[in-house]
Amino acid sequence: GKGPDPPRDHEKGEYISMEIKWNKEHEMGIEEFDRDHKRLFSIASKLLDKVRDPEDIKDSQVRLFVLREGVRYLRGYFDQHAIREEAYMRKIGYGDYALHKQLHDEFKENTLSSYERVLETGECSREEVMDFVGRGIGWLLEHISTADLAIVGRGTLGKPRITRINT
């Protein structure tokens, strides 16, 4: 048949409904962090547009590009950003510093490292790139809107609910 098969459609639908829009609610009120976060939202949105396109996602080169660019950016962005954010939390004597730092460390050591291993193979499946968008980028957006806002008393620090990023 000519039509797409339903399971694929359903999978794609989950990500298509993931809105990545920066708004005032995400602001911590600390300019350097807000600027970083805004930039992350913008990159995430561009990468998501690439995987939303059914033709693009079929192309293994596009999948590799999305993963490579995403991982490279996150590695550079996140390491620097986390260092500055952690220094700020220590400076203000933030009570949940240890837990927040643990969330950063787990993301760097587990999540990002797992995608770097995928890149080393030179292959990236549709599932892997979708997983990266959901678990990699989705985690960060969730982290900004919960844990980071908690630093300024406006969010809830908790394990990011990665299963709920699509709702």
Side-chain angles (χ1 to χ4, degrees):
K2 269 192 129 14
D5 53 21
R8 281 243 164 122
D9 237 24
H10 167 70
E11 271 174 60
K12 208 172 66 215
E14 290 179 16
Y15 289 97
I16 286 173
S17 70
M18 189 169 141
E19 268 303 307
I20 300 182
K21 284 252 192 306
W22 176 264
N23 63 50
K24 289 265 184 235
E25 286 167 33
H26 298 116
E27 286 181 9
M28 291 174 73
I30 300 163
E31 196 184 333
E32 64 170 324
F33 299 144
D34 288 337
R35 195 173 50 235
D36 284 356
H37 292 160
K38 233 179 240 178
R39 175 138 178 72
L40 175 69
F41 269 67
S42 148
I43 302 266
S45 177
K46 288 189 180 84
L47 293 177
L48 195 63
D49 285 344
K50 281 240 168 266
V51 299
R52 273 195 176 110
D53 185 317
E55 287 310 304
D56 274 356
I57 198 72
K58 279 181 197 160
D59 184 335
S60 63
Q61 290 310 305
V62 172
R63 294 195 303 263
L64 266 174
F65 169 83
V66 167
L67 189 62
R68 194 169 43 243
E69 289 307 295
V71 167
R72 182 186 297 155
Y73 174 72
L74 290 184
R75 209 19 118 185
Y77 156 87
F78 194 76
D79 287 359
Q80 291 310 306
H81 178 73
I83 287 165
R84 291 201 316 272
E85 210 174 72
E86 288 161 14
Y88 176 80
M89 288 187 274
R90 287 193 304 271
K91 190 177 88 180
I92 65 167
Y94 180 59
D96 279 319
Y97 168 75
L99 178 56
H100 195 128
K101 183 178 187 335
Q102 187 192 338
L103 293 174
H104 284 172
D105 292 346
E106 282 172 5
F107 181 72
K108 285 189 286 195
E109 289 156 25
N110 304 338
T111 311
L112 276 182
S113 297
S114 71
Y115 298 119
E116 283 165 341
R117 283 192 295 277
V118 171
L119 281 175
E120 282 162 18
T121 68
E123 295 282 316
C124 175
S125 70
R126 188 179 180 285
E127 287 65 38
E128 284 165 333
V129 79
M130 285 309 210
D131 184 70
F132 171 67
V133 170
R135 250 181 9 116
I137 293 174
W139 181 91
L140 266 178
L141 301 178
E142 174 86 22
H143 179 81
I144 289 168
S145 54
T146 56
D148 286 351
L149 286 176
I151 297 170
V152 291
R154 289 193 27 239
T156 330
L157 180 65
K159 286 247 181 250
R161 301 179 307 277
I162 53 168
T163 50
R164 297 212 25 229
I165 59 152
N166 304 326
T167 57

